[in-house]
Amino acid sequence: MVIGIIGGVGSGKSAVLNYFQNKYTADVIEADKVTKELMEEGSPIYEKVKKEFPETFDENGLNRNALAEIVFNDAIKLDKLNNITHPATIDEIFKRISQSNAKYILVETALIIDTVGEDICDELWFVYCDKKERVRRLVEDRGYSKEKAESIIANQPSDDEYNTVCDEFIDNTFSFDKTKEQIDFALTSAICSQ
């Protein structure tokens, strides 16, 4: 079973993945990590990004912070970057799923709605967290400014967009014990519906 784990930055998707991986020995594929691997120096994607965003390169190669700063403040440039990275990322995700022998495979991304969705996943689970709590987590855990956290959240799909396409809604705003109960129940429901 392939389960897409979707939700915005700071919603706690990583905690959900860790729990699922530890309890159910699932394989985990994180779209952002796949993209990062595909953007290693010398790769076709790296060269395309260099051509499109030359200002984000210095003597050390791609400055990922500079690239993030540009695209998270400009929707058009974000679309350009996504058009470069998404097709290769999707191909690689398909490849990794086909090579896995795990009973459960989790595919985590903030953008699965636009890119992968039903083509890859048997189920889509939305990990929700109240926006105020997400901002707090990003400020405290990642050291973001409040403005940067809010800007990144604003550039991602809304909760309604995620919720519209999901099969399960996991509320990760409060204690993680409650989140674990929801995960276990959602998995039981998914297994029963197969």
Side-chain angles (χ1 to χ4, degrees), residues 4-18:
I5 304 294
I6 60 176
V9 64
S11 62
K13 296 187 301 295
S14 294
V16 169
L17 295 177
N18 289 338

Side-chain angles (χ1 to χ4, degrees), residues 9 65 68-69 72-73 138 142-154:
V9 64
N65 290 334
E69 203 62 42
F72 283 122
N73 292 309
L138 292 171
R142 298 194 195 178
Y144 292 176
S145 68
K146 185 176 180 216
E147 294 73 25
K148 180 177 180 177
E150 289 176 344
S151 172
I152 293 171
I153 290 169

